[in-house]
Amino acid sequence: YEAFEQLVANHLMTVQEHKQLLAELSFSKDNRWLKLLYEVKAGRYAGHEELEARMSELECPHNERVGGRPGCGLNSNADVLAARAEWLFYSGDFRKCYDITMEVMQSNPFEKVIVPIHLAVCVELKQKNELFLVGHRLVEEFPSSGLSWYAVGCYYLAAKMNDSARRYFSKATVLDSKFAPAWIGFGHAFAAQDESDQAMAAY
């Protein structure tokens, strides 16, 4: 699972490559929940009805049925919540995405599957105070993590202090060169200053 998570989280495969990989994996009947979770994580850009059907089956209680099958009862699972939040984010429903990520962050502020999408949606909603608090907490606990400095970069990006944002996104990419959100943030900071060539290089 961790290997698959790295491929998805760091955007290392195309949608078609994800589909091909999933087609080659075999899942037992008892592991249908894992197959659904993989499909949801790999299909975050998929159509509404297709993704909603899978999400509903994952989130539905065991004693209820969805599409003739019993639910997986994973509505409070961090990976499932992260998948739902990412889908909402990529659909442009930032407020609902934020509501989910904030709820998880309040119970576990270091939940790795949630933190990147929480930071991204906070930037979209200009939640500067939340970004400052999360960044401070992460740097204090994990000073050698690319995620921590990405959080600091997000704060400066939301505050429109683009030179500082670029500096911290750059630090994040040095610490973790495969951490895609930091490269995207780096590109956004360049784009905010109309430096399109450097923005494209970062993307």
Side-chain angles (χ1 to χ4, degrees):
Y1 177 78
E2 287 182 7
F4 182 84
E5 176 64 23
Q6 286 299 310
L7 289 171
V8 173
N10 292 319
H11 305 264
L12 297 175
M13 301 175 75
T14 65
V15 173
Q16 194 55 44
E17 286 170 337
H18 279 137
K19 286 182 179 178
Q20 187 177 342
L21 175 61
L22 287 170
E24 292 171 1
L25 295 174
S26 61
F27 299 89
S28 69
K29 200 172 182 180
D30 292 336
N31 283 334
R32 178 169 172 75
W33 67 272
L34 186 59
K35 180 176 186 288
L36 289 169
L37 183 59
Y38 278 13
E39 288 174 344
V40 165
K41 281 183 165 288
R44 52 190 160 196
Y45 311 112
H48 176 85
E49 290 182 12
E50 180 184 347
L51 202 56
E52 183 58 49
R54 293 186 176 104
M55 287 297 313
S56 295
E57 191 173 340
L58 281 167
E59 295 167 340
C60 185
H62 291 295
N63 60 350
E64 295 181 18
R65 300 183 77 81
V66 180
R69 294 190 180 91
C72 299
L74 296 174
N75 59 312
S76 60
N77 176 275
D79 287 291
V80 174
L81 288 167
R84 169 70 75 180
E86 283 195 0
W87 177 44
L88 290 166
F89 181 86
Y90 291 119
S91 300
D93 198 340
F94 301 129
R95 179 51 60 181
K96 284 184 182 176
C97 172
Y98 177 78
D99 290 342
I100 291 172
T101 62
M102 194 65 189
E103 185 177 346
V104 177
M105 292 290 288
Q106 286 171 345
S107 60
N108 183 359
F110 304 118
E111 181 57 73
K112 286 187 177 180
V113 294
I114 283 286
V115 173
I117 195 68
H118 180 65
L119 293 169
V121 78
C122 282
V123 170
E124 291 295 335
L125 296 175
K126 304 293 187 286
Q127 297 287 333
K128 289 183 285 187
N129 288 343
E130 175 66 7
L131 287 165
F132 179 84
L133 290 171
V134 174
H136 180 77
R137 210 160 41 213
L138 286 169
V139 168
E140 198 171 69
E141 291 291 326
F142 311 105
S144 299
S145 167
L147 175 60
S148 300
W149 297 103
Y150 166 69
V152 177
C154 285
Y155 165 74
Y156 283 109
L157 186 65
K160 298 185 178 179
M161 299 169 69
N162 296 305
D163 287 337
S164 295
R166 279 161 43 182
R167 184 162 62 251
Y168 289 110
F169 287 138
S170 177
K171 183 167 184 172
T173 62
V174 168
L175 288 167
D176 185 353
S177 63
K178 292 184 174 65
F179 185 48
W183 287 107
I184 293 169
F186 206 11
H188 286 353
F190 277 120
Q193 293 181 304
D194 294 325
E195 296 186 39
S196 55
D197 288 346
Q198 287 169 298
M200 289 304 295
Y203 293 141

